[in-house]
Amino acid sequence: MAGAAVVLGAPTNEHHARQCLDRMGLSYLARDWLLSLPGRPDPVAVRIVEATPQQLRVQNVDYGYADADIGHIFVLDVPAAAGQLHQR
């Protein structure tokens, strides 16, 4: 399994959040990610398709995950549960 989830920064206002993304680069969000799901020992490969202050939408790109079609959208609360989303 991948290492610990990476946090861009602590919850903050929009201005500081934009500065953090500018430092990291938007390509950070385009990376491949692994989503841990309850009751499933192996994480699911996903890509971030939308990030808002309230939720994170990730798309299934894992051909080995039979419980959802490729392209299925998982909606996560922000902040996501500890350990739920990891870099691939």
Side-chain angles (χ1 to χ4, degrees):
M1 182 177 248
V6 176
V7 177
L8 289 177
T12 186
N13 64 42
E14 183 177 346
H15 174 73
H16 288 111
R18 287 179 185 272
Q19 287 180 327
C20 184
L21 271 178
D22 286 344
R23 279 193 310 274
M24 294 294 294
L26 289 176
S27 64
Y28 180 83
L29 297 177
R31 296 178 184 171
D32 289 335
W33 296 86
L34 294 172
L35 174 65
S36 294
L37 296 172
R40 180 172 165 80
D42 298 321
V44 177
V46 296
R47 290 207 178 110
I48 296 173
V49 294
E50 182 182 0
T52 70
Q54 294 79 29
Q55 67 182 15
L56 184 66
R57 294 168 46 93
V58 297
Q59 182 179 45
N60 177 27
V61 295
D62 193 329
Y63 288 98
Y65 180 56
D67 292 341
D69 292 334
I70 293 296
H72 174 81
I73 301 294
F74 296 95
V75 179
L76 310 175
D77 290 331
V78 172
Q84 189 174 19
L85 195 64
H86 304 275
Q87 284 187 12
R88 190 169 196 187

